[in-house]
Amino acid sequence: MRSSRVQRALCTFFFLLALTGQAAAIVARPNPPGDPYADPAHDPYNPLRYITSNALTGIAFALVLLVAISQTFCLYRWGARWMLSIVIGAYLFAFGISTRFGLHLHPQSRGLYIVEYLFVVLAPCAFIAADYVLLGQLARHLGASEYLAIPAHRITRVFVASDITTFLIQAAGGALSASANNTHSNLIGSRVRVLTGITSVSRNSDPTSQIFLAGLAIQLVSFATFTSIYLVFLYRVRKHKKDTWYQDSSKAWYNDWRALGFVLFLSCIGILIRSLYRVIELSQGYAGHLATTEAFFYGLDTLPLFIAVALYTPFWPGRFIDNSKFEKSEETI
């Protein structure tokens, strides 16, 4: 069945994420000598170029983990198992953030950095997949599939396939970059500084980082296209199917399907902000200003993603969409 194929594809997706992280740790080399806290901003062995804040890591980890646990309850209480990817993604994202505790203790650890980066960058692919699935389910629930630019029974498969493809491109780029560097180089990135006596040389044409950047850029374009399709869908429903648009007007606002629709829109905005940040960050290189400033990581990556995911906790889709009608749907995850 198509649903089984989609389930297997996403299980493979998460397995590859864990496998990529473990493979990256294997290729990592022992920490170099020297005091890692003396001058982290100019330490060629510190890939972040700063010492991670345990306070910020603790707050971010606790909040993301709380969302993952609360949505596990929502999944059990209200169903919508097709949102399972967002729950798994939240746990993986929390794990990625937690590795920053280790980077505080061992800021020169290549293995920790690679695992942290891959989980933090790749786990949100699961959030994107959940939004893709939700739009198809919402359109079918409203009986408004004809207002989608792509048929509801295909939109999930098309965009999830795109999500998995960009995930594989990013994973391949990250793994190749990790294995291509040596102990005298910075970790992966489009600007790798190679120590040459008292000077350093910037290498801007690393093909492995370009693969990584291509994956992020394609993902951004794909999700921007999806967001546009969603906005057109909402416009068409409001204009041509007013009875559906106002069908929950008699209910409390937090039980109105339009509340869920607005949450999906905010989730798209959060993911777009984060995706644009990652593309610009990688284009600058891993020694660029964005990559070496912790405030940008939390303000333009963690916070937008947290909002994009956390909003689904009070507005869990299973409360709005009759899950039983789609148990055997081809869009089920």
Side-chain angles (χ1 to χ4, degrees):
M1 293 179 64
R2 291 191 180 97
S3 61
S4 298
R5 289 198 295 269
V6 175
Q7 286 179 335
R8 286 195 295 269
L10 286 176
C11 286
T12 303
F13 174 90
F14 295 120
F15 171 74
L16 286 172
L17 176 57
L19 187 62
T20 301
Q22 295 215 2
I26 291 174
V27 302
R29 296 177 176 86
N31 292 347
D35 183 3
Y37 301 98
D39 187 14
H42 300 93
D43 182 357
Y45 295 103
N46 183 336
L48 289 174
R49 299 301 178 91
Y50 61 81
I51 304 300
T52 58
S53 167
N54 276 344
L56 293 176
T57 299
I59 293 171
F61 172 70
L63 289 175
V64 175
L65 184 61
L66 180 62
V67 167
I69 294 172
S70 64
Q71 291 186 352
T72 300
F73 170 78
C74 291
L75 187 67
Y76 172 78
R77 175 67 177 80
W78 290 292
R81 61 175 182 162
W82 29 270
M83 291 293 288
L84 178 61
S85 66
I86 201 171
V87 179
I88 297 175
Y91 282 112
L92 294 176
F93 191 53
F95 171 76
I97 292 174
S98 72
T99 59
R100 294 175 70 86
F101 286 119
L103 283 171
H104 179 84
L105 295 174
H106 307 285
Q108 296 175 333
S109 172
R110 291 188 62 185
L112 280 174
Y113 174 74
I114 296 171
V115 172
E116 183 266 350
Y117 194 85
L118 290 179
F119 272 85
V120 167
V121 172
L122 299 180
C125 292
F127 307 152
I128 295 174
D131 281 355
Y132 290 158
V133 174
L134 177 55
L135 176 55
Q137 291 284 356
L138 182 62
R140 290 165 65 89
H141 172 71
L142 297 174
S145 299
E146 66 271 21
Y147 298 119
L148 286 172
I150 300 175
H153 69 281
R154 293 181 181 175
I155 193 167
T156 296
R157 282 181 288 160
V158 168
F159 281 102
V160 168
S162 170
D163 194 34
I164 293 176
T165 300
T166 57
F167 165 85
L168 293 174
I169 294 173
Q170 293 172 58
L176 288 172
S177 296
S179 61
N181 284 272
N182 54 57
T183 55
H184 298 289
S185 310
N186 251 357
L187 195 54
I188 56 177
S190 56
R191 294 180 183 176
V192 182
R193 297 182 179 275
V194 182
L195 299 182
T196 56
I198 60 173
T199 62
S200 64
V201 178
S202 182
R203 191 170 64 202
N204 296 308
S205 57
D206 178 17
T208 57
S209 65
Q210 290 178 355
I211 294 174
F212 211 160
L213 179 59
L216 288 169
I218 294 171
Q219 184 182 74
L220 174 61
V221 171
S222 176
F223 196 76
T225 302
F226 168 80
T227 303
S228 299
I229 290 174
Y230 176 56
L231 291 176
V232 171
F233 168 76
L234 289 179
Y235 170 77
R236 289 175 175 175
V237 171
R238 188 177 187 278
K239 182 178 181 180
H240 301 294
K241 205 168 185 179
K242 293 186 181 296
D243 55 335
T244 299
W245 182 261
Y246 295 106
Q247 70 181 24
D248 291 339
S249 297
S250 60
K251 300 179 181 179
W253 68 270
Y254 47 81
N255 289 323
D256 192 322
W257 77 265
R258 290 172 295 182
L260 175 62
F262 186 59
V263 166
L264 176 54
F265 169 72
L266 291 179
S267 179
C268 290
I269 295 300
I271 291 174
L272 284 173
I273 291 173
R274 177 264 178 188
S275 298
L276 182 60
Y277 158 71
R278 283 297 181 182
V279 170
I280 297 175
E281 178 207 42
L282 192 57
S283 66
Q284 290 183 349
Y286 284 71
H289 183 58
L290 288 179
T292 57
T293 305
E294 190 171 25
F296 287 127
F297 169 74
Y298 286 109
L300 296 176
D301 185 283
T302 307
L303 180 60
L305 285 177
F306 172 76
I307 294 174
V309 176
L311 286 172
Y312 284 119
T313 300
F315 298 96
W316 187 250
R319 292 202 302 108
F320 300 86
I321 298 174
D322 185 0
N323 190 53
S324 63
K325 292 191 294 185
F326 304 121
E327 283 296 320
K328 296 183 180 180
S329 168
E330 64 187 0
E331 294 181 300
T332 301
I333 292 188

